[in-house]
């Protein structure tokens, strides 16, 4: 069964019978400020795409990676990893996943027939031989982060158990580089794959590009498992410019941080929250009655993500204009408590 994500506004618009163009859509964790689309030479549209050495160099520099390979979104590899791991380890049958977190990981391993084990606050200890551990860092939607020290200890455990550690860093770009595990992948660290998403921080999710950062061995496996034209030419072109543009990246971090803080204050002061957690790409607010507040917001044409657990709402970050509209709606909601 298809998993419900943020986005897909048409479904909610139809349900509430409000035209799509009237909605404030904060249902995803995609930055509201997009990297400016440059003039793209005609040849980039005309030619079949090739992964250039210059793109790989720029990506290696941005991610601090020894080996990395572009994907048509990190989701494409999430779907493929069970098959790649099963080919490498035919006896593998266990996977450890965060109980709360981006559900596509769970779906992929479940479909491949793996036995699912769940953890949450504490990383799994005593894992089975040949198993797989998935860590979403920071967690989406919970925002929780495991430290490099914790991840290194887990990596060693995985190594000893001939197991694979997958770290999904889809939202890591807004943090300082030392929060990423990529730089800790050494020649001997053969059992870690870090997934990086391009679309969220750069506000261009429609480009469909992401990266796998890993050891030389996994690099070869992933490279050979992807179709030669998996990532389109314009995406490769724009990504090379964006990953090289340090000035834009610094400004993006600052404006996202600023908007996130303002929005958190607004939510705090208007809604009956139990607790609230945030980073510069999304804010997750917990409520006693999250589904009712979700409905109330939808009635005002504000679309946020109700968590699968029905205990929280995840708000994408609003730009200045969107924030003003959100403020009006939240103040109306505050005046008419449920
Ligand atoms: C935690 C997490 N990982 C991976 C993805 C996949 O993103 P993409 O395929 O755009 O890289 C998402 C998308 O929302 C996500 O939330």
């Amino acid at each position: 069964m298809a998993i419900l994500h943020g986005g897909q506004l048409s479904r909610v618009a139809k349900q509430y019978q409000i035209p799509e163009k009237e909605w404030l859509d904060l249902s995803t964790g995609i930055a509201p400020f997009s990297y400016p689309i440059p003039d793209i030479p005609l040849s980039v549209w005309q030619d079949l795409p090739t992964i250039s050495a210059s793109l790989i160099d720029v990506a290696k520099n941005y991610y601090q990676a020894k080996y990395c390979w572009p994907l048509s979104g990190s989701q494409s590899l999430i779907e493929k990893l069970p098959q790649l791991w099963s080919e490498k380890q035919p006896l593998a049958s266990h996977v450890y996943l965060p109980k709360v977190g981006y559900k596509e990981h769970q779906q992929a391993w479940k479909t491949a027939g793996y036995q699912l084990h769940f953890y949450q606050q504490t990383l799994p200890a005593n894992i089975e031989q040949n198993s797989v551990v998935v860590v979403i860092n920071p967690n989406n939607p919970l925002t929780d982060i495991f430290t490099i020290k914790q991840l290194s200890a887990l990596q060693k455990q995985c190594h000893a158990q001939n197991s694979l550690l997958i770290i999904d860093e889809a939202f890591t770009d807004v943090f300082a580089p030392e929060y990423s595990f990529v730089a800790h992948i050494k020649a001997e660290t053969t059992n870690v794959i870090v997934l990086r998403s391009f679309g969220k921080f750069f506000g261009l999710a429609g480009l469909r590009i992401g990266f796998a950062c890993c050891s030389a061995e996994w690099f070869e496996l992933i490279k050979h498992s992807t179709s030669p034209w998996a990532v389109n030419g314009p995406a490769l072109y724009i990504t090379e410019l964006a990953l090289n543009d340090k000035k834009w990246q610094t400004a993006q971090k600052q404006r996202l941080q600023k908007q996130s803080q303002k929005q958190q204050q607004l939510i705090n002061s208007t809604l009956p929250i139990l607790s609230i957690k945030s980073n510069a790409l999304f804010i997750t607010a917990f409520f006693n009655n999250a589904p009712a507040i979700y409905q109330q917001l939808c009635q005002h044409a504000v679309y946020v993500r109700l968590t699968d657990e029905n205990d929280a709402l995840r708000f994408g970050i609003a730009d200045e204009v969107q924030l003003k509209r959100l403020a009006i709606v939240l103040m109306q909601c505050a005046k008419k408590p449920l």
Side-chain angles (χ1 to χ4, degrees), residues 5-6 28-30 71-78 101-105 136-141 168-171 195-200 204-206 208-211 282 314:
H5 294 289
T28 72
I30 300 161
L71 314 159
S72 52
S74 58
Q75 175 63 29
S76 66
L77 189 58
I78 291 174
Y102 185 60
K103 286 280 181 291
E104 294 285 348
H105 290 284
I136 304 172
N137 215 37
N139 184 285
N140 167 25
D168 179 343
E169 294 189 354
F171 292 94
L195 300 171
R196 299 293 300 241
S197 202
F198 175 85
K200 293 165 178 41
L204 293 174
R208 305 309 304 133
I209 180 163
F211 288 83
F282 58 88
R314 189 196 63 191

Short mmCIF file of all heavy atoms in Angstrom, two decimals, residues 5-6 28-30 71-78 101-105 136-141 168-171 195-200 204-206 208-211 282 314, ligand 1:
data_model
loop_
_atom_site.label_atom_id
_atom_site.label_comp_id
_atom_site.label_asym_id
_atom_site.label_seq_id
_atom_site.Cartn_x
_atom_site.Cartn_y
_atom_site.Cartn_z
N HIS A 5 2.41 10.68 2.49
CA HIS A 5 3.46 11.65 2.85
C HIS A 5 2.84 13.03 2.91
O HIS A 5 1.66 13.21 2.60
CB HIS A 5 4.55 11.65 1.77
CG HIS A 5 5.31 10.37 1.71
ND1 HIS A 5 6.18 9.99 2.69
CD2 HIS A 5 5.32 9.38 0.79
CE1 HIS A 5 6.70 8.81 2.37
NE2 HIS A 5 6.19 8.42 1.22
N GLY A 6 3.67 14.03 3.24
CA GLY A 6 3.23 15.41 3.04
C GLY A 6 3.10 15.62 1.53
O GLY A 6 3.37 14.72 0.74
N THR A 28 5.35 19.58 3.96
CA THR A 28 6.63 18.88 3.74
C THR A 28 7.76 19.61 4.47
O THR A 28 7.57 20.74 4.94
CB THR A 28 7.00 18.82 2.24
OG1 THR A 28 7.39 20.13 1.83
CG2 THR A 28 5.84 18.33 1.39
N GLY A 29 8.92 18.99 4.50
CA GLY A 29 10.10 19.62 5.10
C GLY A 29 11.02 20.18 4.03
O GLY A 29 12.23 20.17 4.19
N ILE A 30 10.43 20.65 2.96
CA ILE A 30 11.24 21.21 1.86
C ILE A 30 11.37 22.71 2.07
O ILE A 30 10.36 23.40 2.31
CB ILE A 30 10.57 20.90 0.49
CG1 ILE A 30 10.45 19.39 0.30
CG2 ILE A 30 11.34 21.55 -0.66
CD1 ILE A 30 9.43 18.98 -0.75
N LEU A 71 22.03 9.85 -7.16
CA LEU A 71 20.85 8.96 -7.30
C LEU A 71 19.68 9.84 -7.73
O LEU A 71 19.70 11.04 -7.48
CB LEU A 71 20.49 8.36 -5.94
CG LEU A 71 21.61 7.79 -5.10
CD1 LEU A 71 21.19 7.72 -3.64
CD2 LEU A 71 21.97 6.41 -5.63
N SER A 72 18.65 9.24 -8.28
CA SER A 72 17.48 10.06 -8.60
C SER A 72 16.62 10.19 -7.34
O SER A 72 15.54 9.62 -7.22
CB SER A 72 16.68 9.45 -9.75
OG SER A 72 16.40 8.11 -9.46
N GLY A 73 17.17 10.91 -6.36
CA GLY A 73 16.55 11.04 -5.04
C GLY A 73 17.04 9.88 -4.17
O GLY A 73 17.25 8.76 -4.66
N SER A 74 17.23 10.14 -2.86
CA SER A 74 17.71 9.06 -1.99
C SER A 74 16.66 7.94 -1.91
O SER A 74 16.98 6.78 -1.66
CB SER A 74 18.07 9.59 -0.61
OG SER A 74 16.97 10.24 -0.01
N GLN A 75 15.39 8.30 -2.15
CA GLN A 75 14.31 7.30 -2.13
C GLN A 75 14.60 6.14 -3.10
O GLN A 75 14.28 4.99 -2.81
CB GLN A 75 12.99 8.00 -2.49
CG GLN A 75 11.80 7.08 -2.64
CD GLN A 75 11.43 6.34 -1.37
OE1 GLN A 75 11.66 6.83 -0.27
NE2 GLN A 75 10.89 5.15 -1.50
N SER A 76 15.23 6.44 -4.23
CA SER A 76 15.47 5.38 -5.22
C SER A 76 16.39 4.30 -4.65
O SER A 76 16.23 3.12 -4.94
CB SER A 76 16.03 5.96 -6.52
OG SER A 76 17.31 6.50 -6.30
N LEU A 77 17.35 4.72 -3.81
CA LEU A 77 18.24 3.71 -3.22
C LEU A 77 17.58 3.02 -2.01
O LEU A 77 17.80 1.83 -1.78
CB LEU A 77 19.58 4.34 -2.82
CG LEU A 77 20.67 3.35 -2.38
CD1 LEU A 77 20.98 2.33 -3.47
CD2 LEU A 77 21.95 4.06 -1.97
N ILE A 78 16.75 3.77 -1.29
CA ILE A 78 16.02 3.17 -0.15
C ILE A 78 15.26 1.93 -0.66
O ILE A 78 15.25 0.88 -0.04
CB ILE A 78 15.06 4.20 0.50
CG1 ILE A 78 15.88 5.28 1.21
CG2 ILE A 78 14.08 3.53 1.46
CD1 ILE A 78 15.07 6.45 1.78
N GLY A 101 9.40 7.39 12.19
CA GLY A 101 10.35 7.93 11.21
C GLY A 101 9.86 7.64 9.81
O GLY A 101 8.92 6.86 9.62
N TYR A 102 10.49 8.26 8.85
CA TYR A 102 10.14 8.14 7.43
C TYR A 102 9.87 6.67 7.08
O TYR A 102 10.76 5.83 7.12
CB TYR A 102 11.31 8.69 6.62
CG TYR A 102 11.10 8.76 5.13
CD1 TYR A 102 10.07 9.50 4.58
CD2 TYR A 102 11.96 8.09 4.26
CE1 TYR A 102 9.91 9.59 3.20
CE2 TYR A 102 11.82 8.17 2.89
CZ TYR A 102 10.78 8.92 2.37
OH TYR A 102 10.62 8.99 1.01
N LYS A 103 8.62 6.38 6.75
CA LYS A 103 8.15 4.98 6.69
C LYS A 103 8.60 4.21 5.44
O LYS A 103 8.40 3.00 5.35
CB LYS A 103 6.62 4.95 6.75
CG LYS A 103 6.03 5.24 8.12
CD LYS A 103 6.09 3.99 9.00
CE LYS A 103 5.51 4.20 10.38
NZ LYS A 103 6.26 5.08 11.26
N GLU A 104 9.20 4.90 4.47
CA GLU A 104 9.61 4.20 3.26
C GLU A 104 10.70 3.15 3.53
O GLU A 104 10.80 2.16 2.83
CB GLU A 104 10.09 5.19 2.19
CG GLU A 104 9.01 6.10 1.66
CD GLU A 104 8.05 5.42 0.69
OE1 GLU A 104 8.34 4.29 0.24
OE2 GLU A 104 7.00 6.03 0.39
N HIS A 105 11.51 3.39 4.56
CA HIS A 105 12.54 2.39 4.92
C HIS A 105 11.85 1.09 5.33
O HIS A 105 12.17 0.01 4.83
CB HIS A 105 13.40 2.90 6.08
CG HIS A 105 14.30 4.04 5.72
ND1 HIS A 105 15.45 3.85 4.99
CD2 HIS A 105 14.23 5.35 5.98
CE1 HIS A 105 16.05 5.02 4.82
NE2 HIS A 105 15.33 5.95 5.40
N ILE A 136 17.68 7.30 11.09
CA ILE A 136 17.30 8.53 10.39
C ILE A 136 17.79 9.68 11.27
O ILE A 136 17.33 9.83 12.40
CB ILE A 136 15.78 8.60 10.16
CG1 ILE A 136 15.30 7.36 9.40
CG2 ILE A 136 15.40 9.87 9.40
CD1 ILE A 136 13.79 7.22 9.28
N ASN A 137 18.75 10.44 10.77
CA ASN A 137 19.46 11.40 11.61
C ASN A 137 19.58 12.76 10.92
O ASN A 137 20.37 12.88 10.00
CB ASN A 137 20.87 10.84 11.90
CG ASN A 137 21.35 11.19 13.27
OD1 ASN A 137 20.58 11.22 14.22
ND2 ASN A 137 22.63 11.48 13.38
N PRO A 138 18.85 13.78 11.31
CA PRO A 138 17.86 13.82 12.38
C PRO A 138 16.61 13.05 11.97
O PRO A 138 16.32 12.93 10.79
CB PRO A 138 17.54 15.31 12.51
CG PRO A 138 17.76 15.86 11.14
CD PRO A 138 18.93 15.08 10.60
N ASN A 139 15.91 12.58 13.01
CA ASN A 139 14.68 11.84 12.74
C ASN A 139 13.63 12.77 12.14
O ASN A 139 13.47 13.91 12.56
CB ASN A 139 14.15 11.22 14.04
CG ASN A 139 12.93 10.37 13.80
OD1 ASN A 139 11.83 10.87 13.58
ND2 ASN A 139 13.11 9.07 13.84
N ASN A 140 12.95 12.26 11.16
CA ASN A 140 11.79 12.95 10.58
C ASN A 140 10.58 12.09 10.89
O ASN A 140 10.52 10.95 10.43
CB ASN A 140 11.95 13.08 9.06
CG ASN A 140 10.67 13.49 8.37
OD1 ASN A 140 9.81 14.10 8.99
ND2 ASN A 140 10.53 13.14 7.09
N PRO A 141 9.65 12.51 11.72
CA PRO A 141 9.36 13.87 12.17
C PRO A 141 9.86 14.27 13.56
O PRO A 141 9.61 15.40 13.98
CB PRO A 141 7.83 13.86 12.20
CG PRO A 141 7.50 12.47 12.67
CD PRO A 141 8.55 11.58 12.07
N ASP A 168 20.35 7.76 7.26
CA ASP A 168 19.60 8.64 6.36
C ASP A 168 19.75 10.08 6.87
O ASP A 168 19.19 10.45 7.90
CB ASP A 168 18.12 8.19 6.36
CG ASP A 168 17.26 9.06 5.47
OD1 ASP A 168 17.68 10.16 5.09
OD2 ASP A 168 16.13 8.62 5.15
N GLU A 169 20.54 10.86 6.14
CA GLU A 169 20.81 12.25 6.55
C GLU A 169 20.06 13.22 5.63
O GLU A 169 20.61 14.24 5.20
CB GLU A 169 22.32 12.52 6.52
CG GLU A 169 23.10 11.73 7.55
CD GLU A 169 24.56 12.17 7.66
OE1 GLU A 169 25.00 13.01 6.85
OE2 GLU A 169 25.26 11.67 8.55
N ALA A 170 18.81 12.92 5.35
CA ALA A 170 18.04 13.75 4.39
C ALA A 170 17.95 15.21 4.82
O ALA A 170 17.85 16.10 3.98
CB ALA A 170 16.64 13.16 4.21
N PHE A 171 17.98 15.46 6.15
CA PHE A 171 17.78 16.84 6.63
C PHE A 171 19.03 17.41 7.31
O PHE A 171 18.95 18.37 8.07
CB PHE A 171 16.60 16.86 7.62
CG PHE A 171 15.27 16.58 6.96
CD1 PHE A 171 14.75 15.29 6.93
CD2 PHE A 171 14.55 17.59 6.35
CE1 PHE A 171 13.54 15.02 6.31
CE2 PHE A 171 13.33 17.33 5.72
CZ PHE A 171 12.82 16.04 5.70
N LEU A 195 22.86 8.27 3.28
CA LEU A 195 21.99 8.79 2.21
C LEU A 195 21.82 10.29 2.39
O LEU A 195 21.50 10.76 3.50
CB LEU A 195 20.62 8.13 2.30
CG LEU A 195 20.60 6.61 2.16
CD1 LEU A 195 19.22 6.07 2.48
CD2 LEU A 195 21.01 6.22 0.75
N ARG A 196 22.05 11.04 1.33
CA ARG A 196 21.86 12.49 1.39
C ARG A 196 20.84 12.93 0.34
O ARG A 196 20.86 12.46 -0.79
CB ARG A 196 23.20 13.20 1.12
CG ARG A 196 24.29 12.89 2.12
CD ARG A 196 24.02 13.41 3.50
NE ARG A 196 23.88 14.83 3.54
CZ ARG A 196 24.66 15.67 4.24
NH1 ARG A 196 25.65 15.18 4.97
NH2 ARG A 196 24.43 16.95 4.22
N SER A 197 19.96 13.81 0.79
CA SER A 197 18.88 14.29 -0.07
C SER A 197 19.28 15.69 -0.53
O SER A 197 19.76 16.49 0.26
CB SER A 197 17.64 14.36 0.81
OG SER A 197 16.49 14.32 0.05
N PHE A 198 19.07 16.01 -1.78
CA PHE A 198 19.42 17.36 -2.25
C PHE A 198 18.22 18.31 -2.13
O PHE A 198 18.35 19.48 -1.78
CB PHE A 198 19.88 17.27 -3.72
CG PHE A 198 20.13 18.61 -4.35
CD1 PHE A 198 21.36 19.23 -4.20
CD2 PHE A 198 19.14 19.25 -5.08
CE1 PHE A 198 21.60 20.49 -4.76
CE2 PHE A 198 19.37 20.50 -5.65
CZ PHE A 198 20.60 21.12 -5.49
N GLY A 199 17.02 17.78 -2.43
CA GLY A 199 15.85 18.64 -2.63
C GLY A 199 15.38 19.41 -1.42
O GLY A 199 14.76 20.46 -1.57
N LYS A 200 15.68 18.91 -0.21
CA LYS A 200 15.09 19.55 0.96
C LYS A 200 15.77 20.88 1.28
O LYS A 200 15.14 21.93 1.29
CB LYS A 200 15.14 18.58 2.14
CG LYS A 200 14.21 17.40 1.86
CD LYS A 200 14.44 16.24 2.76
CE LYS A 200 13.47 15.11 2.49
NZ LYS A 200 13.16 14.81 1.09
N LEU A 204 14.46 22.19 -3.86
CA LEU A 204 14.21 21.76 -5.24
C LEU A 204 13.91 20.26 -5.27
O LEU A 204 14.57 19.49 -6.01
CB LEU A 204 15.45 22.06 -6.12
CG LEU A 204 15.79 23.54 -6.37
CD1 LEU A 204 17.11 23.68 -7.13
CD2 LEU A 204 14.67 24.23 -7.15
N ALA A 205 12.91 19.84 -4.51
CA ALA A 205 12.62 18.40 -4.41
C ALA A 205 12.20 17.80 -5.74
O ALA A 205 12.40 16.62 -6.00
CB ALA A 205 11.55 18.16 -3.35
N GLY A 206 11.63 18.65 -6.61
CA GLY A 206 11.19 18.15 -7.92
C GLY A 206 12.32 17.75 -8.85
O GLY A 206 12.09 17.06 -9.84
N ARG A 208 14.64 15.70 -8.19
CA ARG A 208 14.89 14.29 -7.92
C ARG A 208 16.37 13.94 -8.02
O ARG A 208 16.82 13.26 -8.94
CB ARG A 208 14.07 13.37 -8.85
CG ARG A 208 12.59 13.58 -8.86
CD ARG A 208 11.95 13.60 -7.48
NE ARG A 208 12.23 12.40 -6.72
CZ ARG A 208 12.64 12.43 -5.43
NH1 ARG A 208 12.81 13.58 -4.79
NH2 ARG A 208 12.86 11.32 -4.80
N ILE A 209 17.13 14.44 -7.07
CA ILE A 209 18.54 14.03 -6.98
C ILE A 209 18.94 13.92 -5.51
O ILE A 209 18.45 14.67 -4.66
CB ILE A 209 19.46 14.98 -7.79
CG1 ILE A 209 20.94 14.55 -7.68
CG2 ILE A 209 19.30 16.43 -7.43
CD1 ILE A 209 21.87 15.15 -8.73
N GLY A 210 19.77 12.95 -5.24
CA GLY A 210 20.32 12.75 -3.91
C GLY A 210 21.65 12.03 -4.09
O GLY A 210 22.06 11.77 -5.23
N PHE A 211 22.32 11.70 -2.98
CA PHE A 211 23.63 11.05 -3.09
C PHE A 211 23.76 9.92 -2.09
O PHE A 211 23.20 9.99 -0.99
CB PHE A 211 24.76 12.07 -2.83
CG PHE A 211 24.94 13.05 -3.96
CD1 PHE A 211 24.13 14.18 -4.06
CD2 PHE A 211 25.89 12.83 -4.95
CE1 PHE A 211 24.27 15.07 -5.11
CE2 PHE A 211 26.04 13.72 -6.01
CZ PHE A 211 25.23 14.84 -6.09
N PHE A 282 11.93 21.83 9.65
CA PHE A 282 10.55 21.55 10.07
C PHE A 282 10.41 21.66 11.58
O PHE A 282 11.39 21.63 12.32
CB PHE A 282 10.07 20.17 9.56
CG PHE A 282 10.90 18.99 10.00
CD1 PHE A 282 10.64 18.34 11.18
CD2 PHE A 282 11.94 18.53 9.21
CE1 PHE A 282 11.40 17.25 11.58
CE2 PHE A 282 12.71 17.44 9.59
CZ PHE A 282 12.43 16.79 10.79
N ARG A 314 3.45 18.14 12.04
CA ARG A 314 4.75 18.64 11.55
C ARG A 314 4.49 19.79 10.58
O ARG A 314 3.74 19.63 9.62
CB ARG A 314 5.51 17.51 10.84
CG ARG A 314 6.95 17.90 10.51
CD ARG A 314 7.57 16.98 9.50
NE ARG A 314 6.86 17.06 8.24
CZ ARG A 314 7.03 16.21 7.23
NH1 ARG A 314 7.86 15.22 7.35
NH2 ARG A 314 6.35 16.35 6.10
C1 LIG B 1 13.92 11.04 6.13
C2 LIG B 1 13.77 11.01 4.63
N1 LIG B 1 14.65 10.30 3.91
C3 LIG B 1 14.59 10.26 2.57
C4 LIG B 1 13.59 10.92 1.88
C5 LIG B 1 13.57 10.82 0.38
O1 LIG B 1 13.92 12.06 -0.19
P1 LIG B 1 14.55 12.19 -1.65
O2 LIG B 1 14.20 10.96 -2.42
O3 LIG B 1 13.94 13.42 -2.20
O4 LIG B 1 16.05 12.32 -1.46
C6 LIG B 1 12.65 11.67 2.60
C7 LIG B 1 11.57 12.39 1.89
O5 LIG B 1 10.75 13.03 2.46
C8 LIG B 1 12.74 11.72 4.00
O6 LIG B 1 11.88 12.42 4.74
#
